[in-house]
Amino acid sequence: MALVAVGVLATACGGGGETTADGGAPAASGGGDSTITMGFAQVGAESGWRTANTKSVQESAKAAGIDLKFSDAQQKQENQIKAIRSYIQQKVDVIAFSPVVESGWDTVLQEAKAANIPVILTDRAVDSADKTLYKTFLGSDFVEEGKKAGQWLVEQYASETGDVNIVELQGTTGSAPANDRKSGFAEVIGADPKFKVIASQSGDFTRAKGKEVMDAFLKAHPDIDVLYAHNDDMGLGAIEAIEGAGKVPGKDIKIITVDAVKDGMQALADGKINYIVECSPLLGPQLMDLAKKVLAGETVPDRVVTEETTFTQEQAKQALPTRQY
Ligand code: AHR
C-alpha cells in the first residue's frame, strides 16, 4: 500500500482497473474474488486527529484486504479534486474522501457518478443538494460537538452574574467541523446574554496558527475568560501563547477543545485544558465495511454517526494510559 503524493498519483497506481464494467453492469468488482481498490483523498496532516485518522484508514484497508490508493491534499480543495479525478482515471472501485471544505464538489462528484464509481464521504460533509452523488456519509455530528462544549460552559458559569468573555479559535474556514462546531456552540450559549464571544478567527486546525491567533487575541483583549478551540491542536498552540503572556491556562483562562487526542488529553490531565469534547478519528474499520457493502450492492444508511463522549480533567487522567491516539 503506497503513500503517494497527489502529483504522482496518475503514474504511481496501476492495479485494479482490469475488470472495469462494460456498459450496464455495476463498475465495481464488489465482494467477489478480485481485490477491491479504494482511492482515498485525505485532507492533509494538519493535526494529531488527522494523523490518527490516516493511520486508521491505512491499517483498516490492509486488514480488510483492500488495495488503498492514498493522497494527501495538504488542506487544499484543488489538490483533492485532482486526486479524485486521478482515481476516476485509474478506474478504482470506490472513492472515499474527507472534503476539506463543504462547497464546490458537484462537478467532480458528477464525474465519479458518470464513471459509475461509488463515493463515500468520511469525516466531513459536502453541501451538495443532490444526495445521489455519494452513497453514505460516515463521521461525527459536529453540531452536537459544539453543543456539548456550550453546555459545559453554561453549567460551569451557572452562578456567574457578570459577562463571560469568550474567544473562539475556528477550524479551517468553510469546513464542516468549523461551521458546525461554531453554530452548535453559539446556539447553546446564545440563550444567555452574559456569554459574549468577543473574538472569533480561524486557526486552520493547526498548532502554529492557534498560537499565532491567540497571541493576537491576548494583545487585543486583556479580559478573556474562556477560550473555545475547535480542536486540541489549536488549543495547545494557544496554551503556549497564554503562558507566553504570563497567564495560567486552565485557571486565568478556561479552555474547551474538541478531539481528545493524546496531547490534548495530557494537557487536560495537567489542568491546562478544562474540558474536551471527543471527536473520534478511528473511522477506518467502518469505512472499509461500508465500502464492501456498497460494492456488494447492499443497502447502507445515508448517514452513519460516530459514537463519542466528553472528558473532564479527572476522566482524562483515567483514560490516558489506554488512549490509542
Ligand atoms: O474533520 C475533523 C477535524 O479535522 C478534527 O477535529 C481536526 O483536528 C482535524 O483537523
Side-chain angles (χ1 to χ4, degrees), residues 16-34:
E18 70 278 7
T19 54
T20 310
D22 46 284
S29 54
D33 285 345
S34 54

Side-chain angles (χ1 to χ4, degrees), residues 43 45-50 75 98-100 122-124 140 142 145 171-172 175-178 181 204-206 230-234 258-259 261 279-280:
V43 168
E46 74 281 5
S47 63
W49 189 99
R50 190 63 55 196
Q75 294 237 69
S98 172
V100 179
T122 171
D123 165 35
R124 298 184 182 179
S140 308
F142 297 134
E145 291 173 351
T172 302
S175 70
R181 286 173 188 165
D204 215 10
F205 281 129
T206 69
H230 289 189
N231 80 343
D232 288 345
D233 281 83
M234 291 189 295
V258 183
D259 277 355
V261 295
C279 177
S280 175

